[in-house]
Amino acid sequence: MTDYFTVTRTISAPRELVFEALTKPEHFAVWFGTAAVEVPRDTLSMDVRPGGAFRAVMHLPDGNSIHWTGTYVEVEPPAHVAMTLTDQPGDDAGLPVIFDLESVEGGTQLTVRQDRSDFSDEQVAATIAGYNAFIDDIENVVARIAG
Amino acid sequence: MANDDLSRTFAALADPTRRAILARLAAGGATVGELAAPFDMTLAAVSKHLRVLEGAGLVSRGRDAQFRAAMLDARPLAAASVWIADYAKFWQDNLGALDSYLNALQQLGTPTPSHDKENPRD
């Protein structure tokens, strides 16, 4: 198993707009974490260029907060973004999450994946450890969305 | 991997301090004292966490009686990669939210900040 996961969805919007939604805080704050959580616009900082920093605070329905940090690794508008993402600031953020956007009939096919093929067990462990609070809270978040 | 092993792996990972210890060990072996330094914890408390991680096969300990450096053993993590399905769920939900948001945005015909020249779609 080389992929942790691959998630694909066709979104009925032009590729440029989908790319903006992924890379502009005023959009990102709205959808990231889904409607079940709140990401205040003023907690979001997105320096979308290779080496640039990502920060966001996610307020969960149970009152807890997740502090996300990451680094943009690859940025190729409007087709590709790779960024690390962790909720344990200060730690090695592990493997990047990769977003690929492809224009298709009816909109844009967006693929999100994390691939471990080129990484050591140690990097994989760092990635898993990097989703710390997220793992604790994901079930609550998912339950709210489902409910 | 037997379910019991997987449960032990998950149980060991279900604690933020233990995940932080694993993240630290991912950078290289460390003694109990080195592991305790970033936490407001006694050496005994760190040792207890290490025993849980050892029990799950995630950490091995050196033979040196005095230091017994702890080392990461990432094999159970690889075996527990099904667990990563949670990440997939997270992103599936996020893409659903992104899709809904962009649909609403386009239906409202609200010009987006840097696409203000673009005509809104019906």
Side-chain angles (χ1 to χ4, degrees):
Chain A
M1 187 174 183
T2 56
D3 276 355
Y4 274 163
F5 69 85
T6 300
V7 176
T8 299
R9 185 166 183 133
T10 300
I11 293 169
S12 50
R15 185 161 74 151
E16 287 70 20
L17 182 55
V18 177
F19 189 82
E20 287 217 343
L22 288 174
T23 54
K24 295 261 201 275
E26 58 269 31
H27 295 308
F28 194 89
V30 179
W31 64 266
F32 184 61
T34 78
V37 305
E38 195 195 341
V39 178
R41 171 66 187 83
D42 59 4
T43 69
L44 246 188
S45 116
M46 301 170 73
D47 183 11
V48 187
R49 54 183 172 171
F54 169 88
R55 276 175 196 285
V57 177
M58 190 181 264
H59 294 297
L60 302 170
D62 64 5
N64 290 320
S65 297
I66 299 179
H67 292 253
W68 295 95
T69 64
T71 303
Y72 291 94
V73 181
E74 295 163 348
V75 179
E76 295 159 24
H80 176 80
V81 176
M83 64 187 291
T84 61
L85 199 57
T86 176
D87 61 18
Q88 289 296 289
D91 282 357
D92 181 346
L95 318 182
V97 179
I98 298 161
F99 302 84
D100 284 306
L101 296 77
E102 193 185 336
S103 290
V104 294
E105 200 180 327
T108 305
Q109 182 175 289
L110 174 58
T111 303
V112 183
R113 66 195 160 89
Q114 207 161 19
D115 185 331
R116 65 156 291 174
S117 54
D118 296 331
F119 296 91
S120 68
D121 282 350
E122 285 70 21
Q123 284 170 303
V124 171
T127 302
I128 291 173
Y131 280 87
N132 199 324
F134 161 62
I135 294 298
D136 288 339
D137 293 310
I138 188 68
E139 284 184 16
N140 294 334
V141 173
V142 168
R144 305 262 171 168
I145 295 162
Chain B
M1 186 179 218
N3 272 340
D4 282 358
D5 289 343
L6 203 53
S7 299
R8 262 195 295 279
T9 304
F10 289 150
L13 289 169
D15 178 89
T17 304
R18 287 198 289 274
R19 288 197 295 270
I21 289 172
L22 286 180
R24 164 65 186 84
L25 292 177
T31 62
V32 174
E34 287 165 345
L35 289 172
F39 303 106
D40 185 17
M41 291 181 73
T42 62
L43 295 183
V46 170
S47 292
K48 196 175 157 191
H49 282 304
L50 276 179
R51 278 198 297 277
V52 175
L53 291 168
E54 264 189 289
L58 289 162
V59 160
S60 59
R61 304 289 297 275
R63 291 284 166 220
D64 183 308
Q66 193 181 354
F67 297 109
R68 300 209 63 208
M71 313 274 283
L72 176 71
D73 185 341
R75 283 172 296 182
L77 293 180
S81 60
V82 180
W83 177 58
I84 303 302
D86 275 355
Y87 299 165
K89 173 73 177 148
F90 175 73
W91 283 109
Q92 248 155 14
D93 292 339
N94 270 304
L95 295 196
L98 172 62
D99 196 4
S100 305
Y101 168 63
L102 289 179
N103 274 326
L105 196 66
Q106 292 178 107
Q107 272 167 21
L108 284 171
T110 308
T112 63
S114 47
H115 273 68
D116 45 9
K117 282 175 289 185
E118 202 173 75
N119 290 324
R121 307 188 163 226
D122 47 42

